[in-house]
Structures are given as structure tokens and as C-alpha cells.
């Protein structure tokens, strides 16, 4: 099956700093999603991004499908950005019609 | 975005009893729902995929008789943990996808504790 690797596994920032999270995947995919898991366990949809660049406020994401990676940018980080960020990819159909998750990046933003 | 509601959010049950968890898509028809399990400080592990009106497809190593999944309508899927034991204690999360799309939306999760 598809392998998804995220880096870094842990990241500690001061409030106001910028960061880049990376997601590499091993095969061609139908789609890719970024999630933020808050301290209560809820997964919040950040981006649905098979290719190209999207922006939503202080967050943006870029997926380069031909090179099998995606990046999540967080600018001017806030303490509420803390939590785990997951990248997940959709396989190309059949038995691969499912989301495969990376192990996540644990982000801690200190005041 | 679409809303998926999962209940209960937290449940404590005695060893040997069964627990049912509901997952509802509130504002769209979910053709496919997925059930995941998450251990502390780990990623989500897919347990099974369910399509409305058909039997669930379980991932390798997941006991289908232990984790019963029913997807009786386009807005509701249920996961029943049968004869629960302490090792079944975990965080269970559902997700739903609608209308041939591939964007998944997640429920709030259920924290199950078996005592």
C-alpha cells in the first residue's frame, strides 16, 4: 500500500513564528488532505489539495503530485495552532479507495 | 464544510458488555463511511470501510465479529464493540464521504474505556 511520511515528527515554536510541515508519499494518489487534530481529538479539515497551492488565512498548502510531496505552511503561529497535523492521501481506486494517514507532526506553540 | 456527528463522545462500560457508537452525516448523503481506531500519541488506523446497504470491508487483522459495522442508510453508520475487554479501550473515529467525492469529514470521536 501507499506509504505516507511526515516531517518533522515534533516541532516547538514561539508564538509569531512561521513553520513548514512536509508530507511525502510513495505512489500516485487521487487526492490529499491536511488535518489538524485538536486536543479533544477532533480532526479539522484544513485543505483538500490534489495539486497546486491553496491558502486559508495564515495557513497555506502546496502539493506537487508529480514529485509526490505536499507542504503545509503556518505563518504567524498562535498558541491555538498547537496540536497534531496529519497528512492523508487517497489511493487511486479499488482496494486503495481509502485514506492513508501519516504519523503526524506534533506542533507546540508557546506564548 | 460538511458535518459528521458521532455519539457518544465518551463511554465507560464493563468488561463483557457491548457498546454501540453512531456516526451520522448531518447535511450530506454519505455513500461511504470509514471507522478508525487511534491509540495515544499514534496515527489513525483504518478498521473498516462501509458502503450503504452492503457488508463492511475490514482491514487485515480487524476481527469482524468483534467490531460489527452496520451502514443501514446514507446518513448513519454504527460500530458495535461486542463483548468488550480492557484492550478494546481506545479512541474510535468515523469519517464520511459523499456523492462520489474523495473529501472525508470526521466525527468528534468516541473515547471508549472498558473496566
Amino acid at each position: 500500500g501507499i506509504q505516507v511520511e511526515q516531517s518533522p515528527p515534533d516541532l516547538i515554536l514561539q508564538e509569531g513564528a512561521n513553520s513548514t510541515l512536509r508530507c511525502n508519499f510513495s505512489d500516485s494518489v487521487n487526492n490529499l488532505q491536511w488535518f489538524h487534530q485538536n486536543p479533544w481529538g477532533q480532526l479539522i479539515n484544513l485543505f483538500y489539495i490534489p495539486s497546486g497551492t491553496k491558502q486559508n488565512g495564515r495557513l497555506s498548502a502546496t502539493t506537487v503530485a508529480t514529485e509526490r510531496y505536499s507542504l503545509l505552511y503556518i505563518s504567524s503561529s498562535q498558541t491555538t495552532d498547537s496540536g497534531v497535523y496529519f497528512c492523508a492521501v487517497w489511493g487511486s481506486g479499488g482496494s486503495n479507495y481509502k485514506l492513508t494517514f501519516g504519523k503526524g507532526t506534533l506542533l507546540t506553540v508557546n506564548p | 464544510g460538511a458535518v459528521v456527528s458521532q455519539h457518544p463522545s465518551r463511554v465507560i462500560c464493563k468488561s463483557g458488555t457491548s457498546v454501540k457508537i453512531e456516526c451520522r452525516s448531518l447535511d450530506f448523503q454519505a455513500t461511504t463511511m470509514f471507522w478508525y481506531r487511534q491509540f495515544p500519541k499514534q496515527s489513525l488506523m483504518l478498521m473498516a470501510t462501509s458502503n450503504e446497504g452492503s457488508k463492511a470491508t475490514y482491514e487485515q487483522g480487524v476481527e469482524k465479529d468483534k467490531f460489527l459495522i452496520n451502514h443501514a442508510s446514507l446518513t448513519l453508520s454504527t460500530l458495535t464493540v461486542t463483548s468488550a475487554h480492557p484492550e478494546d479501550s481506545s479512541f474510535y473515529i468515523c469519517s464520511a464521504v459523499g456523492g462520489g467525492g474523495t473529501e472525508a469529514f470526521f466525527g468528534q470521536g468516541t473515547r471508549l474505556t472498558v473496566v
Side-chain angles (χ1 to χ4, degrees):
Chain A
I2 296 171
Q3 306 297 313
V4 181
E5 293 185 2
Q6 290 186 243
S7 60
D10 298 276
L11 185 58
I12 300 175
L13 301 175
Q14 287 299 123
E15 203 167 24
N18 303 327
S19 62
T20 300
L21 282 57
R22 187 176 179 102
C23 172
N24 293 334
F25 42 96
S26 63
D27 204 347
S28 60
V29 297
N30 266 349
N31 229 315
L32 183 146
Q33 291 187 248
W34 282 98
F35 299 93
H36 175 212
Q37 187 169 37
N38 66 23
W40 298 273
Q42 171 83 58
L43 270 84
I44 309 298
N45 288 40
L46 297 178
F47 294 102
Y48 174 67
I49 182 168
S51 63
T53 296
K54 291 186 177 180
Q55 179 152 9
N56 184 2
R58 296 182 294 104
L59 273 60
S60 64
T62 294
T63 297
V64 184
T66 53
E67 297 186 23
R68 298 181 184 169
Y69 74 89
S70 183
L71 303 174
L72 177 68
Y73 306 95
I74 304 174
S75 64
S76 303
S77 58
Q78 300 176 358
T79 56
T80 52
D81 294 332
S82 296
V84 182
Y85 289 80
F86 286 107
C87 163
V89 301
W90 285 96
S92 53
S95 62
N96 287 321
Y97 181 61
K98 57 187 176 183
L99 268 179
T100 300
F101 280 78
K103 292 185 177 181
T105 292
L106 174 59
L107 175 64
T108 303
V109 181
N110 293 321
Chain B
V3 179
V4 176
S5 179
Q6 187 175 339
H7 291 283
S9 58
R10 186 179 297 267
V11 59
I12 300 173
C13 71
K14 291 186 176 180
S15 188
T17 61
S18 296
V19 174
K20 181 184 284 187
I21 302 169
E22 290 190 349
C23 180
R24 293 181 184 273
S25 56
L26 297 187
D27 52 3
F28 67 103
Q29 293 187 324
T31 49
T32 305
M33 287 187 170
F34 302 88
W35 287 94
Y36 298 84
R37 185 173 181 175
Q38 187 179 30
F39 292 103
K41 299 188 185 300
Q42 294 191 21
S43 187
L44 280 72
M45 180 187 75
L46 180 65
M47 299 174 65
T49 302
S50 75
N51 294 293
E52 185 264 339
S54 61
K55 289 185 178 180
T57 301
Y58 290 81
E59 294 297 299
Q60 195 170 8
V62 177
E63 299 175 59
K64 61 178 69 175
D65 295 330
K66 172 72 149 175
F67 300 101
L68 299 179
I69 291 170
N70 183 276
H71 191 163
S73 77
L74 284 172
T75 59
L76 174 64
S77 177
T78 60
L79 167 67
T80 301
V81 183
T82 63
S83 187
H85 290 285
E87 57 265 31
D88 299 324
S89 298
S90 193
F91 191 60
Y92 294 88
I93 314 174
C94 71
S95 74
V97 176
T102 55
E103 183 171 9
F105 297 90
F106 284 76
Q108 305 94 316
T110 297
R111 193 162 304 281
L112 170 64
T113 303
V114 185
V115 298

